[in-house]
Amino acid sequence: MSITRFTKRMLVTGALVASAALALSGCGAITTGNGSDSSSTDGGFKLADYIQQRVDNGDPLRIKLSYHDPSLAFATPISKGMDRAGEELGADVQLIGPTGGDAAKQVSELQTLIQQQSVDALAVSSASSDALKPVIAQAYDAGIPIISFNTDNPGSKQMGFVGQDLKASGQSESEQLREVLGDGATGKVVVFSLDTGAGWSNDRFSGFEAGMEGSGLEVVGPVNVGNEPNAAYNTVESTMSGQSGVVAIAGLDCCSTTAAAKWVEQSGNTGKITMVGFDLLPQTADFVKNGVVSFTISQNPEKQGYQAVKVLFDFVKDGTPIKGVDTGAQFITLDNIGEATVEG
């Protein structure tokens, strides 16, 4: 199959996935937790008095985005979108979170903000949704508008979610991989993730498995690589040394993708093992240009940062009901890499 034909097929499929998501979620709005409409009159959420006073005084809103690991390269475009929204809206915005990823530290940091009343609205992205559910409830009960972004927290008191439909994106990845490999392909597909215990990873992998059903391909993994680049590469290397009959590798995130792609390139398997993954870091873009990565899926992190701020700002300032935003899935290949925005 030619690259051009493949790209066209992927773009069409991506559009269909997006259209289905829009149909299910109401013109792009994904509502979770308490639903799409959280107001002081619904018997549920009531804006904290100190926040209302700041609004009445015309003070800049203090909006913080808590990301589960700001040291990750993916945090850079999120911060860029957040800063742009803060500048446009006149809000005091800040990206916070525990360097290296630590749910307990993230919870502690959020609890301090709530107790000190030093934040007017919160957006959280957690490595462990279960760990953050109690603190999300604390913020909600304290009258602080809170949403999730990048990673969802279903079943919590979040007031909305801004990000990619993770399960759908995982399914899209496997379906497009099958398209690349061709009908009747057999062999192993090894899957890597930087955190196999995280809710987002489980959601994306469950979608990946669904897309693989009936393919005749054997899925191996997901294998946890962690977020330290050298350790991640070593894990990929040791995993692959114990495998035979591998026809493809799939990363479920930015960092497992780059680690696995580096192994494919350095082991001389470019063109022999199909490599696919997620996100468009500068290194990933180079792998696409060099033919190491067949495609990667961008989830528009800059838009996630921007919309997380805007959704919260509009709710607090104007009473606009909170609705989630699906930031979509864009397939990046050699054919359209020149038009794509690098995420980092």
Side-chain angles (χ1 to χ4, degrees), residues 17 164-177 200-201 203-212 250-252 278 295 297 329 331:
V17 170
Q164 187 181 76
D165 185 326
L166 297 171
K167 186 171 183 179
S169 67
Q171 184 167 343
S172 295
E173 180 185 32
S174 59
E175 289 174 346
Q176 300 299 348
L177 174 57
W200 62 263
S201 181
D203 289 344
R204 192 166 275 164
F205 182 65
S206 68
F208 187 90
E209 284 188 305
M212 278 292 175
L252 295 180
F278 275 87
F295 69 80
I297 303 175
F331 288 87

Side-chain angles (χ1 to χ4, degrees), residues 21-229:
L22 293 180
L24 290 172
S25 60
C27 299
I30 301 177
T31 59
T32 55
N34 281 327
S36 63
D37 188 354
S38 298
S39 66
S40 60
T41 60
D42 66 358
F45 182 80
K46 182 182 185 302
L47 190 67
D49 291 340
Y50 81 88
I51 299 177
Q52 186 60 59
Q53 186 62 55
R54 289 179 57 81
V55 173
D56 295 341
N57 292 342
D59 298 328
L61 291 184
R62 301 165 300 179
I63 300 176
K64 298 187 187 299
L65 274 58
S66 175
Y67 189 59
H68 55 268
D69 187 357
S71 67
L72 294 176
F74 196 76
T76 300
I78 288 176
S79 183
K80 183 178 179 181
M82 175 196 72
D83 289 338
R84 179 164 62 89
E87 183 176 348
E88 289 181 9
L89 300 171
D92 179 4
V93 298
Q94 183 182 8
L95 186 71
I96 61 174
T99 299
D102 187 314
K105 290 181 179 179
Q106 186 178 19
V107 168
S108 178
E109 185 175 43
L110 291 168
Q111 287 177 330
T112 298
L113 293 174
I114 295 168
Q115 292 165 1
Q116 295 181 349
Q117 298 185 348
S118 55
V119 64
D120 303 322
L122 279 168
V124 297
S125 171
S126 61
S128 171
S129 58
D130 288 339
L132 256 67
K133 282 182 181 178
V135 77
I136 289 174
Q138 288 177 32
Y140 181 89
D141 294 341
I144 301 171
I146 184 163
I147 64 172
S148 292
F149 77 103
N150 185 245
T151 59
D152 201 358
N153 283 280
S156 71
K157 281 192 170 183
Q158 67 183 21
M159 300 165 71
F161 171 61
V162 173
Q164 187 181 76
D165 185 326
L166 297 171
K167 186 171 183 179
S169 67
Q171 184 167 343
S172 295
E173 180 185 32
S174 59
E175 289 174 346
Q176 300 299 348
L177 174 57
R178 290 173 63 175
E179 181 77 15
V180 177
L181 295 175
D183 294 337
T186 59
K188 296 178 182 177
V189 178
V190 182
V191 182
F192 292 100
S193 169
L194 70 82
D195 187 357
T196 55
W200 62 263
S201 181
N202 293 329
D203 289 344
R204 192 166 275 164
F205 182 65
S206 68
F208 187 90
E209 284 188 305
M212 278 292 175
E213 289 180 2
S215 67
L217 294 162
E218 178 186 350
V219 176
V220 177
V223 178
N224 191 84
V225 301
N227 58 17
E228 199 285 312

